[in-house]
Amino acid sequence: MNKENTTSLFPKGDRLPDEWFTGAAFLSPLVGKDHNNEFSAGAVTFEIGALTNWHTHPKGQVLLVIEGAGFYQERGAEAQTIKKGDVIRIPEDVEHWHGASAVTSMTHIAITNFKDDTQVTWLDPVTEHEFNQVHKLK
């Protein structure tokens, strides 16, 4: 008999600010920037329907999807479905958002580089229309 493991790999962590996220998203920090590492890494859990605002990273970001499924979209491009096992490489200064779908939760490890002391620039929220359009295309 095959029994599925339903235990999360990392703790859910603390809720992220509504100022930068729509819906309930949580961060469990894994690695902080220090004298050896010019990046941070954390497990970000998006409950159903939760997502980031549009944002950029001055030195890029890598997402490793470890649970569930959701979306990643660059401004002006079609959204792509992301799921457990996917690796997303986000170039520097590209406007984008990522998060869960309207029917599934999603957890990813975010590895984010720093430029000086900055790793993210937050922009406007993803509109309800933009989020709904993603679901119509899939």
Side-chain angles (χ1 to χ4, degrees), residues 2-114:
N2 186 8
K3 186 174 181 181
E4 185 177 337
N5 180 359
T6 58
T7 305
S8 294
L9 187 58
F10 299 105
K12 194 171 189 178
D14 295 324
R15 178 137 183 193
L16 289 160
D18 291 339
E19 170 184 8
W20 302 325
F21 293 82
T22 298
F26 301 84
L27 172 64
S28 181
L30 303 174
V31 177
K33 178 184 173 191
D34 61 23
H35 66 281
N36 289 317
N37 302 304
E38 290 293 320
F39 66 88
S40 67
V44 183
T45 299
F46 297 87
E47 291 188 351
I48 292 172
L51 58 143
T52 67
N53 282 8
W54 290 100
H55 61 286
T56 64
H57 303 283
K59 293 289 285 179
Q61 183 180 56
V62 174
L63 305 177
L64 310 170
V65 183
I66 61 171
E67 293 179 28
F71 294 102
Y72 166 76
Q73 183 176 26
E74 295 179 1
R75 194 169 311 256
E78 187 173 321
Q80 63 185 67
T81 301
I82 58 177
K83 63 187 180 327
K84 183 178 179 176
D86 287 345
V87 176
I88 309 301
R89 293 173 181 244
I90 303 166
E92 60 189 34
D93 296 321
V94 169
E95 290 186 22
H96 68 283
W97 69 268
H98 38 97
S101 77
V103 296
T104 58
S105 61
M106 190 263 295
T107 300
H108 64 51
I109 304 295
I111 303 167
T112 311
N113 298 298
F114 281 82

